[in-house]
């Protein structure tokens, strides 16, 4: 249910409506608008990278994952509502609210993932992770569908984007808050507080210590972190800038963009649900490798697309690969994470994902800025991240990593 609740935020705010609204309305199509959007998100991801390992370790020590989940949800919903006040020229207000809401969203995404090994047997991690991602995309489609109705009504009445986009933001925040309630009332905290001291070093010292610990005791997990940092950079570009690409390169209207993302979510839901069973059968590593090959094909199709039907093929491929790759990554972390350090290990995974979220979109934004808006070249550069991820995945030994977790 939490996957269902928070997916609308990424689908509507980051991917579809507000990203396009910021570039075209708030930023008034300035050459720096796309870079400013990616820079604000990168700042929030950088803050997550610095703070999440410490937050995760304290949540493990205090058995307080639920409390952290609740507070981050409230923060995300509140900051998202502030976006309703952003109109033409309100760049700093929009960027500040965006950075805060995304920071809180990322905390919740990390913490809820740490519950996975407590809820699923080791031989069912892929299925349960796939169920969550699949149901999450259904939540994204519900929010997107309601938002599409609001946009359609607004456009039919001749309203400007500044008049109907705030209602889309209210819809997104409301669905997030209501759909998260079952998790708040029904999710149990199965961990027990640790007896060790909660005194912690500085953020950078803790991060360095945890990085050294993974190298000494969990080298396979460290390799997975490096792999994730690469391929998640490419996924971050698709999540953050797909609507901008469709708007700037393919000339899509807002309604067409929303239908496009709706299609992507359908593909992602189908991919995550069905491939979850495939993961448990063929292994998480092999399943992830197949999806990375699919991502590379998607980038090549999107780069070469000059007609709308070909671009729709690329969007469908992106949807199928997105659900499967994210589900497989979460399941692999669950397979490697020791029982007493779940929040900490998923926080380290969050660090890798957020590092990717900084590097990927920022690289895309820099390429478009330096090339005076060449989005096709930027999407082609994005394919390099998937190639590097595939090469690093080859060095991950699943059996050795699982054995390390049990020692």
């Amino acid at each position: 249910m939490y996957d269902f609740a928070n997916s609308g935020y990424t689908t509507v705010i980051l991917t579809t409506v507000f990203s396009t609204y910021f570039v075209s309305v708030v930023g008034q199509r300035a050459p720096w608008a796309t870079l400013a959007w990616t820079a604000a998100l990168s700042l929030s991801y950088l803050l997550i990278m610095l703070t999440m390992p410490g937050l995760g370790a304290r949540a493990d020590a205090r058995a307080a994952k639920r409390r952290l989940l609740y507070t981050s949800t409230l923060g995300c919903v509140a900051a998202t509502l502030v976006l309703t006040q952003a109109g033409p020229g309100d760049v700093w207000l929009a960027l500040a609210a965006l950075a805060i809401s995304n920071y809180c969203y990322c905390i919740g995404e990390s913490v809820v993932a740490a519950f996975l090994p407590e809820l699923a047997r080791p031989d069912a991690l892929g299925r349960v992770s796939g169920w969550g991602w699949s149901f999450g995309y259904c939540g994204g489609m519900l929010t997107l569908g309601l938002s599409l109705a609001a946009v359609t009504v607004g456009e039919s009445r001749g309203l400007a984007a500044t008049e109907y986009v705030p209602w889309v933001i209210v819809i997104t925040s409301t669905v997030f808050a209501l759909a998260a309630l079952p998790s708040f009332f029904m999710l149990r905290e199965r961990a027990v507080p640790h007896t060790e001291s909660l005194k912690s070093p500085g953020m950078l010292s803790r991060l360095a210590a945890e990085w050294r610990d993974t190298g000494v005791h969990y080298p396979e997990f460290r390799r997975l972190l490096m792999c994730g940092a690469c391929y998640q950079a490419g996924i971050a570009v698709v999540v953050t800038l797909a609507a901008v690409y469709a708007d700037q390169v393919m000339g899509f209207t807002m309604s067409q963009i929303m239908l496009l993302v709706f299609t992507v979510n359908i593909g992602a839901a189908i991919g995550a649900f069905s491939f979850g069973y495939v993961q448990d059968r063929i292994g998480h590593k092999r399943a992830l490798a197949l999806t990375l090959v699919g991502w590379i094909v998607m980038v090549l199709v999107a780069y070469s697309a000059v007609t709308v039907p070909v671009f729709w093929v690329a969007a469908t491929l992106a949807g199928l690969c997105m659900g499967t790759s994210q589900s497989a990554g979460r399941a692999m972390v669950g397979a490697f994470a020791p029982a007493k350090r779940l929040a900490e290990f998923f926080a380290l995974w969050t660090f890798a994902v957020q590092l990717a979220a900084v590097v990927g979109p920022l690289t895309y934004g820099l390429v478009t800025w330096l090339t005076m808006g060449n989005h096709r070249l930027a999407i082609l550069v994005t394919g390099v991240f998937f190639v590097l991820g595939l090469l690093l995945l080859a060095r991950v030994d699943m059996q050795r990593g699982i054995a390390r977790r049990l020692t």
Side-chain angles (χ1 to χ4, degrees), residues 86-297:
D90 295 326
V91 174
W92 291 110
L93 173 66
L95 293 179
L98 173 70
I100 294 171
S101 64
N102 191 58
Y103 175 80
C104 294
Y105 164 82
C106 292
I107 292 176
E109 183 71 7
S110 175
V111 175
V112 78
F115 284 95
L116 176 62
E118 294 180 354
L119 299 173
R121 298 189 307 270
D123 63 343
L125 287 171
R127 274 168 284 171
V128 177
S129 180
W131 296 341
W133 276 109
S134 178
F135 200 47
Y137 287 117
C138 292
M141 284 187 285
L142 171 64
T143 306
L144 186 62
L146 295 173
S147 300
L148 178 60
V151 170
T152 302
V153 171
E155 290 180 337
S156 67
R157 294 180 177 179
L159 300 179
T162 53
E163 296 176 282
Y164 62 73
V165 166
W167 285 107
V168 171
I169 297 170
V170 170
I171 290 170
T172 303
S173 301
T174 302
V175 173
F176 193 165
L178 294 178
L181 291 178
S183 301
F184 291 174
F185 291 132
M186 301 175 66
L187 185 62
R188 291 170 46 204
E189 180 71 70
R190 291 170 171 80
V192 295
H194 295 181
T195 56
E196 58 261 29
S197 172
L198 291 177
K199 293 181 180 180
S200 59
M203 292 185 296
L204 295 179
S205 298
R206 173 180 289 278
L207 193 58
E210 291 178 345
W211 177 254
R212 288 193 298 269
D213 180 56
T214 59
V216 174
H217 300 106
Y218 305 97
E220 301 304 318
F221 179 66
R222 178 191 272 195
R223 294 189 183 102
L224 178 61
L225 291 178
M226 292 187 290
C227 168
C230 286
Y231 80 78
Q232 290 283 355
I235 294 177
V237 169
V238 176
V239 170
T240 309
L241 296 161
V244 175
Y245 187 91
D247 174 50
Q248 298 293 317
V249 178
M250 305 303 298
F252 277 31
T253 65
M254 179 65 76
S255 297
Q256 287 176 314
I257 291 171
M258 296 177 79
L259 287 173
L260 177 74
V261 176
F262 204 94
T263 301
V264 171
N265 274 261
I266 292 174
I270 294 172
F273 183 83
S274 59
F275 218 64
Y277 292 90
V278 176
Q279 285 181 58
D280 292 330
R281 180 166 298 181
I282 70 174
H284 306 305
K285 177 181 175 180
R286 188 176 298 174
L288 181 56
L290 289 174
T291 63
L292 293 182
V293 172
W295 274 117
I296 295 169
V297 173

